[in-house]
Amino acid sequence: QSEAGTAGSSHSMDKSITLPPDEIFRNLENAKRFAIDIGGSLTKLAYYSTVQHKVAKVRSFDHTAKEVPSDKLYEISVQEEITARLHFIKFENAYIETCLDFIKDHLVNTETKVIKATGGGAHKFKDLIEKKLGLKVDKEDEMTCLIKGCNFVLKNIPHEAFVYAKHADSEFRFQNTHPDIFPYLLVNIGSGVSIVKVESEDKFERIGGSSIGGGTFWGLGALLTKTKRFDELLQLASKGQHTSVDMLVKDIYGGSYGSLGLTGDLIASSFGKSATADKDFSKEDMAKSLLHMISNDIGQLACLYAKLHNLSRVYFGGFFIRGHPVTMHTITYSINFFTKGEVQALFLRHEGYLGAIGAFLKGAEEDNPNQYSWGENYAGSSGLMSVSPDINPMQRARSGTFDMLEMDRLERQLVNLPLLQDASSYIPDTVDLTEDALAREYWLSCFEEALDGVVKRAVASQPDIPEAAERAEKFRQKYRHKLQTLRHQPFAYGSLTVRSLLDTREHCLNEFNFPDPYSKIKQRENDVALKYYQKAVKSLEELSWEERQFALVRVELTAGPFCEQLERPWLVDAYDQWIERLKGPPHKCALFFVDNSGMDIILGVMPFVRELLCRGTEVVLASNSGPALNDVTNGELQILTERIAAMDPVIQSGLKEDRLTLVQSGSSSPCLDLRLVSRQLTWQLLPSDILWSFVPQSSKTISSFVFFPLPFPSRLDKVLAMVVRERQTDLVIIEGMGRAIHTNYYAMLTCESLKMAVIKNSWLADRLGGKLFSVVFKYEDPTRKPSKDTVALTPS
Amino acid sequence: MAYNGHQREDEASDDGETPTKQLRSVKEMPGYLRNDTENEAATPGGSATSDRPTSNSTARHRMDSGKKSRPPFPWFGMDIGGTLVKLVYFEPKDITAEEEQEEVENLKSIRRYLTSNIAYGKTGIRDVHLELQDLTMCGRTGNLHFIRFPTHDLPAFLQMGRNKHFSSLHTTLCATGGGAYKFESDFRTMADLQLHKLDELDCLIRGVLYIDSVVSSGPSECYYFENPTDPERCVQRPYTLENPYPLLLVNIGSGVSILAVYSENNYKRVTGTSLGGGTFLGLCCLLTGCSTFEEALEMASQGESTRVDKLVRDIYGGDYERFGLPGWAVASSFGNMMFKEKRESVSKEDLARATLVTITNNIGSITRMCALNEKIERVVFVGNFLRVNTLSMKLLAYAMDYWSKGQLKALFLRHEGYFGAVGALLELLNPS
């Protein structure tokens, strides 16, 4: 058997598991359906489990009944919900026996009779698996599994694929999930190379290959350098100079070969200078030359096949690639050279798991996992670890032992918003923290400092449960560790964004059973705000049309009492165009992404909705499917809307006539409450506005501001997409700093859009060249020329 | 790293180094310079390419003929590659007594030196078996000689040129290959020679087409292997390259260039690879300690690559039917060398063979893809990697035939590596 060759493995391998196994093989007691992929040095185990979750539900009180309890609007209950989860664990083959023993001891489910197996090592360990687990090993074709796994991750994991750029600000440039992943080319570089064309879920073909692959690098490298291990060879190569071994164009021409456009530094003949008996070459130089030779050759063949089959998406995988910056760089270079930049080499974050995922899917076909949408669980997944020896030795050591991927089944199927101009190029996040080191540093610190507050809030949300404090502490450790990981490896879960930081925190909170820490706060806020609804509407009604439009926008922007700071001109000011537009015919249908509970939704959004309805515009209110901080959820919004309808005939008739519709966004992404943010964020309350003077001070502090993005998911609930299409939506309203600035600022829609926000973060305001509380009011009509007021939100 | 298998230590080299009379050459210099200029000025008008009747020979004063269409002797074409310098020399056999008398001593000496030896210095070789006799070029009849020596011995060659006062002859030295550029100043400073530099691919194609058209007697220039997939019945057969276009021309020197040729003047370089003859020799030297191409080939002929490579059957026990891969196909070149015990059990011969097979198959594979992309079914392999390398040629023939299911035909040319040099000579005689 070959020397174990994966990066990170130590020479003297400790066969005992270094991490508590129950943190690795999680939820085994509910596990069913196993699959295993055993490669030359790594084993990947997959299983399916069901996870019991606590979820917060709201239920309206029957207000007609006699026993109206206190003054509460609705009741909150915590229920148990069962969701599905996929577990994938990667470890070195050396641990396989220990792992099988552990699984056997914890496996309760007796239904499972078969384990799907794939990979070159599957036959070698067949007897061991059957003996230890008592499961029948059912072998599946390696390539079929690989393709199935690849399709699955490409479809379900945003930022799965990335382009590698060694010298760029961020080495990893993650690709947007393309709505249609087919067709593509998969170049699997194992000991040899297989080139597979994938045309659909079930249709793929091995169109070619090459015998010059990872085995050639390893085998020939071992002969030339007397270095046995694959990762050591790569290390040698990363230190070498190939020019002492290779014959370059300039060695033959003295310079470039101009008429063919071949530059002097190109390799004319690999190992061309070593054709002599009387010279010694360093191990490093030979390893480097070999690496170039093999990478260039594979790249060239891949390009020839891509050209012949007219394919532009080419993914590379196999042990030769597997997260090694050295080989990703040389392959990328080769592809760029041979296609003159027309084709980009793409790599996958979960490349190592493809076979296991595919084998699992093969075994789970009756559950039809492909009919669901799945999401990567950031709490349970290790993320992409750089195997570069120079980067963070701690991470490297860990990646050498156990690596995990967990995926949750999403309750609803997600699709693209049909109104996006170009779904494939849409990037929700305005700033990519993977690329922007300053912003990354700021936000990571910001989240770290806010952690104490989040922990306190979580504990407070479960006052009757004594072990809540302990769980909250576990949450703190988990999330802090995630933040530390992200500091070293910002690319671990795809592009790092404020949104992904929030999502990760939400996943960690859920992991420790804090499903909705804000439910009670939201309840109280909604209650208070409702009391002022009629007053607010009345004062708006008293204004002239022009005054009212302006007041509505101001209310929208602030959901609270700002005054001087709202004086125009704003930082981005398309208010005049908006008013001009309002003087024209009404919109057919407006899609409104709502944000916070309390004043924001009740006193900010609803009057605006009301005005639209009065104009004859249908309104679709999209709210979060699941709880996330103080966001109003769909369940809460239904109750709130009913209550408002009872007070307001306009809303009432809107609902009745189906001109006002509530839909779920499909998202459960978080926002952050003011009080949980670090002091660094110098957000302040401002003097009261005349219009809002009747709002009690206490309620302003609760819900007025959303400083964090409400993620505007590129993947949306299917029903929402349908409604949007049916209603012929011609206006999208996005409001709040998080949604309109952090995300979606550059989103191009096929219909008119309104993006409104106040920059309430001095750091960000400073960066955008504006002052604190600058207003962004961006109205865009794709049929007209873009507004000149657009400010570039990324620093120059 | 010389390709000096036929090295012959004789007096010839010493002879060649003998200084010759200098006075005359110096005296003649201005005249020839002028002549050269006129000659060049005359070329755009279209110089004659047709053979002149021998009756004209009386009037063939060197200066006169130079003025009209023919450059002065000696006629050389040179291709300076990464590993080898290829030199073709036209030896006129129809020299009249008058010419003989007029022929300067230097020229005579060069002619005698080149034609009376088959080895020059320690590493220069004349490929006698490739010599083309009774060839008419530019109205003159003579023999075309094919000479090669390692590029690293170019300084010795220049020294010899200096010693023989080559520059006094004022011939235009047409040269192609990268070395024409790299060593241009060395030619000037060391041998007082001005090179006429030519593009190597232009020369290559011109050379191929020319040689194929003039070889009529003796062994056919172009040939192929019949039954390439059956080692028992695989035989070399002549091939007539009458209607050559389109063709894929694969030149395997130190590196590899692949050209799609649609006509003599219409071609493109499709791609190239750095895994070529230089890689084979370079890796063999490192892996086996050999130092020459001939040594490496000899070892390869005695080795067994299947001990080094991992085959499909080593992984799947037989054919990988799902993808139509036969068990004998190489799954991973040098793949068995990942394992320590296997590394310890292979011989140098096995390693040399595996290197040859790896490089050859890879060239075959890239060539096949180019043929498919360019929709060309005929492939001509040339270049010195194929010299005395039947192993690689048969392997290429096999690979082309097997993987294309008989669609592609691999063709080979006897003068393998000399076409660039021939093209350079043609440029001297008939500037394009």
Side-chain angles (χ1 to χ4, degrees):
Chain A
Q1 193 55 39
S2 63
E3 291 88 354
T6 48
S9 54
S10 54
H11 290 267
S12 54
M13 198 128 35
D14 177 7
K15 295 207 175 188
S16 66
I17 290 173
T18 50
L19 295 174
D22 54 342
E23 283 188 16
I24 299 160
F25 301 102
R26 304 202 313 158
N27 218 26
L28 264 181
E29 57 279 9
N30 297 319
K32 60 171 192 172
R33 296 203 194 289
F34 283 83
I36 196 162
D37 173 13
I38 308 176
S41 50
L42 289 177
T43 297
K44 284 77 70 174
L45 183 81
Y47 59 92
Y48 168 98
S49 78
T50 47
V51 186
Q52 275 210 322
H53 267 301
K54 289 207 186 338
V55 289
K57 295 274 179 188
V58 291
R59 196 171 63 87
S60 183
F61 286 116
D62 186 357
H63 287 270
T64 57
K66 277 178 234 164
E67 71 282 52
V68 177
S70 68
D71 56 347
K72 291 221 172 63
L73 186 61
Y74 49 80
E75 74 173 335
I76 305 157
S77 63
V78 172
Q79 294 168 15
E80 293 283 338
E81 203 178 66
I82 291 174
T83 58
R85 182 172 288 179
L86 301 182
H87 303 256
F88 303 96
I89 301 108
K90 185 161 72 183
F91 51 87
E92 298 200 356
N93 288 354
Y95 297 128
I96 197 162
E97 209 167 331
T98 323
C99 290
L100 292 175
D101 281 336
F102 181 85
I103 292 165
K104 187 184 135 204
D105 293 345
H106 293 78
L107 203 57
V108 186
N109 194 314
T110 48
E111 284 168 51
T112 305
K113 297 268 185 286
V114 174
I115 180 166
K116 289 283 179 186
T118 188
H123 67 275
K124 194 186 156 201
F125 292 97
K126 182 173 181 280
D127 292 345
L128 185 75
I129 297 166
E130 294 194 333
K131 198 184 91 199
K132 292 269 179 195
L133 295 184
L135 299 176
K136 192 182 164 297
V137 170
D138 190 8
K139 276 200 73 179
E140 287 291 339
D141 176 69
E142 219 175 318
M143 195 61 74
T144 310
C145 292
L146 202 64
I147 302 300
K148 267 195 171 302
C150 192
N151 292 340
F152 187 79
V153 295
L154 285 175
K155 270 193 303 199
N156 288 288
I157 306 186
H159 290 181
E160 174 61 32
F162 61 88
V163 165
Y164 185 78
K166 189 183 177 186
H167 301 294
D169 286 344
S170 76
E171 283 174 286
F172 299 79
R173 274 190 288 127
F174 292 95
Q175 303 295 295
N176 230 6
T177 315
H178 200 276
D180 186 11
I181 62 169
F182 305 108
Y184 66 85
L185 204 61
L186 179 68
V187 181
N188 192 55
I189 315 174
S191 55
V193 181
S194 280
I195 300 177
V196 186
K197 176 186 179 183
V198 187
E199 284 176 280
S200 71
E201 195 58 57
D202 303 303
K203 195 176 172 206
F204 70 88
E205 187 191 354
R206 184 189 190 274
I207 54 173
S210 169
S211 68
I212 299 186
T216 315
F217 178 71
W218 194 345
L220 199 43
L223 288 169
L224 291 172
T225 67
K226 314 278 181 261
T227 302
K228 293 172 191 166
R229 295 162 53 82
F230 180 71
D231 53 343
E232 284 172 21
L233 277 167
L234 280 182
Q235 276 196 53
L236 279 182
S238 64
K239 288 181 233 150
Q241 283 293 326
H242 76 101
T243 50
S244 61
V245 183
D246 289 341
M247 187 184 280
L248 309 184
V249 167
K250 69 180 171 204
D251 292 320
I252 300 176
Y253 272 83
S256 65
Y257 184 177
S259 63
L260 286 183
L262 303 177
T263 62
D265 289 325
L266 281 180
I267 304 168
S269 175
S270 293
F271 287 89
K273 281 184 194 155
S274 69
T276 166
D278 38 59
K279 224 182 127 184
D280 284 329
F281 297 90
S282 82
K283 288 178 179 185
E284 288 81 1
D285 293 353
M286 288 188 290
K288 178 71 165 236
S289 174
L290 187 62
L291 177 69
H292 275 302
M293 177 180 107
I294 288 166
S295 300
N296 286 339
D297 192 56
I298 295 169
Q300 179 171 28
L301 275 170
C303 293
L304 286 166
Y305 278 101
K307 188 182 170 199
L308 188 65
H309 293 265
N310 200 20
L311 298 168
S312 58
R313 268 172 287 178
V314 185
Y315 299 98
F316 288 86
F319 81 73
F320 185 69
I321 298 292
R322 206 142 298 166
H324 297 296
V326 189
T327 53
M328 288 195 288
H329 174 63
T330 51
I331 287 285
T332 299
Y333 178 87
S334 170
I335 294 291
N336 278 340
F337 174 77
F338 285 109
T339 69
K340 299 182 178 74
E342 275 174 33
V343 173
Q344 285 188 314
L346 296 165
F347 305 96
L348 301 171
R349 270 201 298 140
H350 298 102
E351 189 274 322
Y353 287 110
L354 301 187
I357 294 173
F360 172 81
L361 292 173
K362 269 296 232 184
E365 265 161 0
E366 61 190 68
D367 286 345
N368 206 357
N370 269 324
Q371 78 178 10
Y372 300 102
S373 290
W374 299 80
E376 181 179 11
N377 186 307
Y378 296 141
S381 303
S382 313
L384 181 69
M385 294 300 148
S386 171
V387 288
S388 163
D390 311 323
I391 298 175
N392 196 11
M394 177 193 83
Q395 295 300 345
R396 184 168 178 258
R398 203 164 71 79
S399 73
T401 50
F402 287 88
D403 189 271
M404 286 162 287
L405 164 66
E406 290 184 8
M407 296 183 76
D408 287 320
R409 193 171 80 195
L410 307 179
E411 291 313 300
R412 313 181 65 87
Q413 261 200 296
L414 301 180
V415 293
N416 286 316
L417 177 67
L419 297 171
L420 283 171
Q421 261 187 26
D422 179 8
S424 58
S425 68
Y426 166 76
I427 297 165
D429 308 287
T430 306
V431 179
D432 183 345
L433 303 181
T434 337
E435 287 177 9
D436 190 333
L438 277 174
R440 176 169 74 237
E441 191 45 49
Y442 171 76
W443 288 110
L444 282 171
S445 305
C446 181
F447 273 84
E448 211 161 317
E449 285 172 34
L451 194 48
D452 282 343
V454 178
V455 170
K456 263 186 219 150
R457 170 73 48 225
V459 177
S461 73
Q462 299 179 353
D464 309 324
I465 308 172
E467 41 81 49
E470 197 187 317
R471 269 187 291 122
E473 200 46 47
K474 281 185 182 165
F475 154 76
R476 182 211 299 276
Q477 281 170 22
K478 183 112 192 175
Y479 190 58
R480 178 165 289 159
H481 183 260
K482 292 281 168 195
L483 290 174
Q484 278 165 3
T485 302
L486 288 166
R487 216 176 264 280
H488 292 292
Q489 323 250 122
F491 45 79
Y493 300 96
S495 286
L496 183 67
T497 59
V498 177
R499 184 170 63 113
S500 74
L501 284 168
L502 284 163
D503 284 353
T504 306
R505 191 170 65 187
E506 205 63 20
H507 289 174
C508 290
L509 277 168
N510 274 326
E511 194 60 41
F512 295 99
N513 268 319
F514 294 105
D516 191 1
Y518 295 84
S519 54
K520 292 201 170 68
I521 295 167
K522 289 189 287 184
Q523 188 187 33
R524 206 167 61 229
E525 288 172 20
N526 288 333
D527 231 15
V528 171
L530 265 180
K531 288 177 184 147
Y532 295 94
Y533 178 76
Q534 279 171 307
K535 251 193 209 171
V537 169
K538 191 161 170 277
S539 37
L540 282 164
E541 290 286 293
E542 284 161 5
L543 299 172
S544 70
W545 185 85
E546 293 257 3
E547 282 172 339
R548 189 166 68 248
Q549 301 314 313
F550 191 63
L552 281 168
V553 167
R554 277 165 53 156
V555 167
E556 257 311 313
L557 283 167
T558 62
F562 291 94
C563 172
E564 314 86 79
Q565 281 71 17
L566 285 187
E567 267 168 35
R568 295 179 58 202
W570 296 324
L571 183 62
V572 176
D573 195 337
Y575 183 74
D576 293 340
Q577 287 96 313
W578 171 242
I579 286 301
E580 276 313 301
R581 174 63 188 86
L582 286 183
K583 285 174 184 165
H587 294 92
K588 175 90 184 56
C589 174
L591 169 64
F592 205 136
F593 284 93
V594 303
D595 198 343
N596 287 6
S597 293
M599 274 193 358
D600 182 33
I601 182 77
I602 296 165
L603 303 179
V605 174
M606 280 303 181
F608 204 99
V609 167
R610 194 178 186 279
E611 184 75 17
L612 287 168
L613 287 170
C614 290
R615 277 174 57 79
T617 300
E618 293 177 21
V619 179
V620 177
L621 282 180
S623 54
N624 266 9
S625 302
L629 299 186
N630 69 337
D631 281 6
V632 61
T633 63
N634 187 254
E636 289 157 355
L637 187 56
Q638 292 204 354
I639 295 168
L640 293 177
T641 314
E642 275 169 32
R643 298 283 291 134
I644 290 169
M647 299 184 271
D648 185 345
V650 175
I651 300 294
Q652 173 114 54
S653 66
L655 284 173
K656 202 177 275 174
E657 291 157 22
D658 208 19
R659 288 187 297 113
L660 172 60
T661 318
L662 308 184
V663 293
Q664 305 190 27
S665 69
S667 161
S668 305
S669 261
C671 275
L672 189 66
D673 186 90
L674 174 66
R675 284 161 298 180
L676 297 179
V677 177
S678 83
R679 268 164 295 150
Q680 266 199 332
L681 306 175
T682 53
W683 300 337
Q684 304 155 15
L685 280 173
L686 286 161
S688 297
D689 182 81
I690 300 156
L691 183 65
W692 295 102
S693 54
F694 50 81
V695 179
Q697 196 65 30
S698 62
S699 66
K700 282 182 224 157
T701 59
I702 294 167
S703 65
S704 301
F705 314 112
V706 176
F707 301 122
F708 282 85
L710 171 87
F712 177 58
S714 57
R715 300 197 305 172
L716 287 169
D717 190 272
K718 228 179 182 175
V719 176
L720 185 149
M722 207 180 66
V723 170
V724 161
R725 234 181 247 121
E726 275 175 5
R727 299 277 164 105
Q728 298 171 299
T729 301
D730 53 356
L731 174 67
V732 171
I733 303 172
I734 309 170
E735 164 253 1
M737 189 171 81
R739 294 175 299 159
I741 306 278
H742 282 309
T743 58
N744 299 305
Y745 187 76
Y746 297 117
M748 303 287 280
L749 300 174
T750 54
C751 65
E752 291 169 55
S753 65
L754 196 53
K755 297 165 188 170
M756 304 181 267
V758 177
I759 315 284
K760 295 167 192 164
N761 172 310
S762 58
W763 180 84
L764 193 62
D766 194 41
R767 191 169 233 225
L768 301 182
K771 282 185 288 191
L772 187 64
F773 302 117
S774 296
V775 169
V776 170
F777 189 90
K778 196 178 182 192
Y779 165 68
E780 286 162 308
D781 180 351
T783 60
R784 289 199 219 157
K785 277 182 193 161
S787 149
K788 282 177 222 146
D789 307 316
T790 301
V791 171
L793 288 186
T794 35
S796 48
Chain B
M1 69 164 178
Y3 289 31
N4 58 356
H6 307 293
Q7 183 176 316
R8 200 185 73 179
E9 290 294 317
D10 58 11
E11 296 82 3
S13 53
D14 292 335
D15 208 4
E17 247 72 65
T18 314
T20 45
K21 296 151 202 149
Q22 291 181 19
L23 275 173
R24 187 163 182 175
S25 62
V26 173
K27 208 162 68 186
E28 278 178 4
M29 216 164 158
Y32 278 107
L33 274 176
R34 175 163 43 83
N35 186 31
D36 258 359
T37 319
E38 281 170 17
N39 189 17
E40 273 184 17
T43 51
S47 48
T49 43
S50 57
D51 299 341
R52 279 162 175 262
T54 37
S55 58
N56 275 4
S57 60
T58 43
R60 205 188 294 127
H61 186 272
R62 289 182 68 215
M63 292 184 75
D64 280 349
S65 66
K67 267 177 199 159
K68 293 207 174 93
S69 66
R70 225 163 13 224
F73 288 122
W75 293 354
F76 282 111
M78 200 172 196
D79 177 4
I80 311 168
T83 309
L84 284 178
V85 178
K86 283 76 66 176
L87 188 71
V88 293
Y89 168 64
F90 182 82
E91 173 205 2
K93 296 295 264 187
D94 53 359
I95 297 173
T96 57
E98 184 193 348
E99 273 183 321
E100 179 89 43
Q101 209 181 352
E102 277 192 17
E103 192 174 31
V104 296
E105 202 51 44
N106 283 344
L107 186 59
K108 212 171 279 175
S109 145
I110 285 166
R111 179 158 57 90
R112 286 206 192 107
Y113 173 65
L114 289 176
T115 56
S116 61
N117 292 303
I118 60 164
Y120 315 95
K122 285 184 180 169
T123 53
I125 301 286
R126 180 155 62 88
D127 281 315
V128 184
H129 66 288
L130 294 178
E131 180 179 331
L132 294 176
Q133 293 180 344
D134 297 324
L135 190 67
T136 307
M137 291 191 94
C138 223
R140 300 299 299 260
T141 304
N143 298 343
L144 197 57
H145 297 277
F146 298 87
I147 296 158
R148 61 188 152 87
F149 59 88
T151 304
H152 64 71
D153 285 338
L154 192 69
F157 173 81
L158 292 177
Q159 190 56 46
M160 187 188 77
R162 185 191 183 96
N163 295 343
K164 288 191 178 302
H165 304 285
F166 199 86
S167 61
S168 67
L169 299 171
H170 306 295
T171 180
T172 306
L173 191 49
C174 282
T176 186
Y181 297 82
K182 185 182 178 184
F183 301 110
E184 189 184 11
S185 62
D186 292 340
F187 271 86
R188 201 169 45 239
T189 55
M190 289 175 70
D192 193 25
L193 282 168
Q194 189 65 45
L195 289 183
H196 182 43
K197 303 190 295 292
L198 299 163
D199 181 80
E200 63 173 295
L201 300 182
D202 289 340
C203 289
L204 175 68
I205 288 165
R206 234 181 140 181
V208 166
L209 297 172
Y210 176 79
I211 293 292
D212 184 66
S213 69
V214 295
V215 175
S216 50
S217 59
S220 167
E221 179 62 21
C222 185
Y223 59 95
Y224 70 103
F225 289 90
E226 198 176 72
N227 308 316
T229 52
D230 182 355
E232 305 274 300
R233 290 163 55 230
C234 178
V235 278
Q236 192 175 322
R237 294 274 186 226
Y239 187 88
T240 328
L241 205 59
E242 272 174 327
N243 228 332
Y245 309 115
L247 75 88
L248 207 61
L249 186 59
V250 182
N251 186 31
I252 317 174
S254 316
V256 181
S257 274
I258 301 179
L259 318 177
V261 188
Y262 302 99
S263 74
E264 181 170 350
N265 300 313
N266 181 14
Y267 75 87
K268 65 174 179 187
R269 183 180 188 272
V270 180
T271 189
T273 167
S274 69
L275 284 82
T279 315
F280 165 64
L281 187 55
L283 280 174
C284 273
C285 290
L286 293 173
L287 292 171
T288 70
C290 73
S291 58
T292 69
F293 183 66
E294 286 76 9
E295 250 182 283
L297 274 185
E298 176 58 26
M299 277 201 278
S301 70
Q302 290 162 19
E304 187 60 69
S305 63
T306 53
R307 283 197 278 262
V308 179
D309 295 339
K310 192 190 259 186
L311 307 187
V312 168
R313 66 164 180 254
D314 296 334
I315 303 172
Y316 296 98
D319 299 349
Y320 190 3
E321 280 162 21
R322 177 135 179 23
F323 297 121
L325 288 175
W328 52 258
V330 183
S332 173
S333 297
F334 286 83
N336 279 341
M337 299 297 93
M338 290 189 276
F339 313 110
K340 188 164 178 276
E341 60 280 11
K342 292 202 170 158
R343 280 202 294 275
E344 282 161 359
S345 71
V346 293
S347 68
K348 288 182 172 187
E349 287 77 12
D350 295 339
L351 293 172
R353 178 65 163 243
T355 310
L356 188 76
V357 170
T358 302
I359 300 297
T360 306
N361 276 338
N362 189 60
I363 294 169
S365 179
I366 291 173
T367 300
R368 200 171 61 82
M369 287 311 296
C370 292
L372 281 172
N373 270 323
E374 302 302 322
K375 300 180 180 63
I376 295 175
E377 291 183 352
R378 233 172 342 192
V379 183
V380 179
F381 291 95
V382 296
N384 268 322
F385 172 65
L386 299 175
R387 195 175 61 77
V388 295
N389 186 0
T390 317
L391 220 50
S392 285
M393 287 192 279
K394 285 189 173 176
L395 215 52
L396 285 170
Y398 183 108
M400 289 299 110
D401 187 84
Y402 182 87
W403 295 108
S404 75
K405 301 187 176 70
Q407 285 292 297
L408 285 174
K409 199 170 199 74
L411 303 171
F412 304 92
L413 298 175
R414 281 187 70 234
H415 286 84
E416 286 133 3
Y418 283 108
F419 299 109
V422 172
L425 173 63
L426 292 171
E427 185 63 31
L428 171 76
L429 304 181
N430 179 21
S432 53

